[in-house]
Amino acid sequence: MGNIAAIVGRPNVGKSTLFNRLTETRTAIVNEESGVTRDRLYGKCIWNGLEFSVVDTGGYAVGSDDIFEEEIRKQVLIAIEEADIILFMLDVTTGITDYDEMVADILRRSKKQVIMVVNKVDNTDRLTEASYFYSLGLDEMFPISSINGGGTGELLDRLVELFPSTENVEELDIPRFAIVGRPNAGKSSIVNAFIGEERNIVTPISGTTRDSIYTRYNKFGHDFYLVDTAGVRKKSKVSEDLEFYSVMRAIRAIENSDVCLLMIDATRGVESQDQKIFQLIQRNKKGVVVLINKWDLIEKDTMTTKKYEEQVRSKFAPFVDFPIVFTSVITKQRIHKALEMAVAVYDNKTRKIPTAKLNEAMQQIVHDNPPPSTKGKYIKIKYIMQLPTNTPAFAFFCNLPQYVKDPYKRFLENKIRKMWDFSGVPVQIFMRKK
Ligand SMILES: Nc1nc2c(ncn2[C@@H]2O[C@H](COP(=O)(O)OP(=O)(O)OP(=O)(O)O)[C@@H](O)[C@H]2O)c(=O)[nH]1
Ligand SMILES: Nc1nc2c(ncn2[C@@H]2O[C@H](COP(=O)(O)OP(=O)(O)OP(=O)(O)O)[C@@H](O)[C@H]2O)c(=O)[nH]1
């Protein structure tokens, strides 16, 4: 749960090559991940049955050659703060550079688990050179070749060994909500509005990876966990308006949640950072409620909620079926509505449609709008089943699953969304051979 490895290192050492290699281990297993674009920043890796996240900090580099030292330093500090393991990448062909020394210096002083990954060790001759990197004063080193995969198995074995496989948290079976968003959107304010003044209703639970992962909220008929409130409340030493910062902060909270309340600053609107976080929520298949916060600051004559809503949805397209709540933490407007929507989305996420009802409704739709035939082949959908997954997923059993194209799957998804309430929740459609 929330096992995060961050790759740091200067430009051109091979960070993205390693990232691709690590995250491919998952795509190979979970091959039906269509609809969501892969990016070079954040991906999942599965090794020996353990799943963890990999973040490529290089994806946030500005420019490339002319990155300022200060910028890199910040990035490394954020990675140290937010990741569980740092993969410090080095290049055997260039040896140790000034930059490497600077990063090693920061890493040595941190208490984080650091692994030096010496890349481009494509042949055994370079193996001896790789051991020079021990002079940077870090304990662990793995020589690898990202390009041909040499040494990456050993590195993965070690990572899996270091990550805790089961977290020792006494967790109840109640919804887990995460409040995420860019710096200054109002996350701490809303958490404090919920739990701040009434400590007696707050029960912090200790996890192994963090001081406090879950805070229980139990009043007004609600009972749920707020995820990673420690992370929300604690101001970072490097709390800059960096995109990398807000994304790193969000990852763990999102992974540990069922539903995310994504806070947008109404005065700024939806920007690329918000889109990035929204995308992370999607890729982790979590529920989402979008809060347009600081609504008190908006001149209502010029900006109606309806107009604003349309703008927000267009920024998050193609996924548009999610609730939007206009909040003000300052005037306490609709913050309980926000909670109610989070609960509703949780209910949607856990909704199970009885097989008979599902077939009755969907067979009719399929009958009226059959999948278009491809290459003269007719596709016959025989029956439909909701899979026993954590997020709604439906399997359509048919004779020729490979011939059903994405537009038809989207058509089926939209019909399902119309028929039953799945607002705020990703719905997956699978074609299966029968
Ligand atoms: N010989 C060799 N070349 C490699 C290896 N891994 C990566 N490269 C090459 O090194 C170059 C840089 O690789 P990237 O993965 O783009 O490096 P990066 O660290 O992500 O670079 P930035 O995007 O600038 O941060 C590319 O030309 C790769 O093909 C390797 O194991 N051996
Ligand atoms: N006018 C107005 N100001 C708000 C509202 N919510 C939060 N603020 C203000 O916005 C500023 C940032 O709020 P925070 O709660 O610290 O934001 P945050 O998202 O936790 O920020 P980081 O800790 O940097 O990630 C503070 O000055 C709040 O008082 C709101 O609804 N209306």
Side-chain angles (χ1 to χ4, degrees):
M1 199 196 268
N3 291 332
I4 305 166
I7 309 173
V8 303
R10 73 188 149 75
N12 231 35
V13 289
K15 294 185 297 300
S16 67
T17 313
L18 176 65
F19 174 83
N20 287 337
R21 196 162 269 287
L22 296 182
T23 52
E24 266 162 20
T25 61
R26 186 167 190 274
T27 352
I29 299 166
V30 194
N31 51 11
E32 271 183 285
E33 256 197 298
S34 73
V36 220
T37 43
R38 278 162 54 81
D39 60 41
R40 75 161 279 195
L41 313 172
Y42 170 83
K44 301 258 186 169
C45 177
I46 290 181
W47 191 253
N48 288 342
L50 185 94
E51 187 175 57
F52 60 93
S53 305
V54 190
V55 179
D56 173 6
T57 64
Y60 292 90
V62 285
S64 229
D65 289 342
D66 58 342
I67 305 178
F68 302 109
E69 196 168 293
E70 182 57 21
E71 203 70 12
I72 293 168
R73 217 179 56 82
K74 269 189 214 151
Q75 211 139 298
V76 173
L77 286 173
I78 294 165
I80 289 170
E81 206 167 304
E82 300 299 328
D84 302 294
I85 297 177
I86 307 291
L87 299 176
F88 176 25
M89 248 190 138
L90 299 140
D91 181 344
V92 77
T93 64
T94 57
I96 296 168
T97 67
D98 291 351
Y99 167 87
D100 296 335
E101 305 240 3
M102 173 191 77
V103 173
D105 195 46
I106 301 171
L107 292 174
R108 261 199 322 272
R109 277 182 282 153
S110 79
K111 294 191 174 52
K112 264 286 133 78
Q113 180 81 43
V114 178
I115 296 178
M116 285 190 288
V117 178
V118 178
N119 192 35
K120 310 193 187 179
V121 185
D122 304 337
N123 53 53
T124 43
D125 292 350
R126 289 182 178 170
L127 217 47
T128 348
E129 294 162 44
S131 54
Y132 292 146
F133 288 89
Y134 279 119
S135 68
L136 286 170
L138 292 154
D139 297 335
E140 247 186 295
M141 188 270 288
F142 283 82
I144 67 162
S145 169
S146 295
I147 268 191
N148 66 36
T152 49
E154 286 82 352
L155 174 64
L156 279 161
D157 285 344
R158 180 62 181 142
L159 281 174
V160 165
E161 206 175 278
L162 289 170
F163 284 126
S165 53
T166 47
E167 201 137 328
N168 209 0
V169 178
E170 285 174 54
E171 208 183 311
L172 297 172
D173 191 20
I174 53 175
R176 299 168 305 162
F177 299 151
I179 291 163
V180 293
R182 64 180 310 147
N184 222 41
K187 300 182 295 297
S188 312
S189 304
I190 205 167
V191 167
N192 287 333
F194 289 148
I195 59 176
E197 308 94 312
E198 296 182 58
R199 302 271 158 198
N200 52 334
I201 56 129
V202 174
T203 332
I205 294 180
S206 293
T208 49
T209 53
R210 271 243 162 173
D211 310 335
S212 166
I213 297 181
Y214 301 115
T215 304
R216 188 167 172 190
Y217 178 101
N218 186 352
K219 67 172 179 178
F220 303 135
H222 287 301
D223 194 5
F224 57 82
Y225 286 125
L226 283 174
V227 178
D228 200 19
T229 44
V232 168
R233 261 181 271 156
K234 189 187 66 190
K235 282 268 179 197
S236 164
K237 288 182 285 286
V238 279
S239 70
E240 300 272 323
D241 203 4
L242 289 177
E243 179 167 326
F244 175 59
Y245 173 69
S246 57
V247 170
M248 272 314 277
R249 287 245 113 164
I251 289 173
R252 185 187 306 274
I254 292 171
E255 289 186 351
N256 288 330
S257 74
D258 299 305
V259 177
C260 299
L261 293 103
L262 171 57
M263 293 188 90
I264 310 286
D265 183 334
T267 62
R268 302 185 66 147
V270 177
E271 293 176 328
S272 92
Q273 293 196 50
D274 306 304
Q275 288 171 318
K276 199 113 257 157
I277 298 173
F278 189 84
Q279 214 176 38
L280 282 172
I281 299 171
Q282 295 292 296
R283 298 182 70 185
N284 279 284
K285 302 192 177 67
K286 305 298 185 180
V288 68
V289 178
V290 170
L291 308 185
I292 309 295
N293 191 41
K294 308 194 188 179
W295 194 239
D296 55 292
L297 298 179
I298 299 295
E299 187 70 62
K300 300 304 179 308
D301 302 340
T302 50
M303 191 58 102
T304 63
T305 52
K306 197 167 180 308
K307 209 163 112 195
Y308 206 103
E309 222 183 292
E310 276 166 19
Q311 279 176 16
V312 170
R313 284 193 207 282
S314 74
K315 287 278 171 70
F316 290 133
F319 186 59
V320 290
D321 186 18
F322 56 86
I324 296 178
V325 185
F326 293 85
T327 57
S328 166
V329 181
I330 297 289
T331 66
K332 298 242 187 300
Q333 247 187 321
R334 283 185 289 273
I335 59 171
H336 284 283
K337 170 87 176 168
L339 272 189
E340 279 159 26
M341 289 320 293
V343 173
V345 168
Y346 179 78
D347 290 342
N348 295 347
K349 190 169 183 287
T350 45
R351 173 160 295 121
K352 297 279 182 272
I353 313 297
T355 307
K357 281 215 159 63
L358 184 65
N359 279 274
E360 191 187 323
M362 294 311 290
Q363 290 289 9
Q364 186 60 44
I365 286 165
V366 169
H367 178 266
D368 295 343
N369 307 274
S373 62
T374 341
K375 298 178 193 152
K377 309 257 195 224
Y378 288 93
I379 299 147
K380 193 160 172 7
I381 292 173
K382 292 169 185 164
Y383 66 95
I384 307 136
M385 231 182 86
Q386 183 171 1
L387 300 171
T389 43
N390 283 331
T391 26
F394 297 89
F396 286 71
F397 290 90
C398 59
N399 56 339
L400 297 162
Q402 68 276 26
Y403 284 113
V404 182
K405 300 281 187 294
D406 283 346
Y408 193 73
K409 289 191 206 169
R410 276 197 294 277
F411 165 78
L412 294 174
E413 178 188 333
N414 288 334
K415 288 293 176 191
I416 287 177
R417 285 185 185 280
K418 273 220 182 78
M419 202 81 63
W420 298 279
D421 189 357
F422 285 113
S423 175
V425 180
V427 169
Q428 289 175 284
I429 305 292
F430 296 109
M431 293 295 154
R432 291 270 188 269
K433 173 85 183 154
K434 183 74 200 179

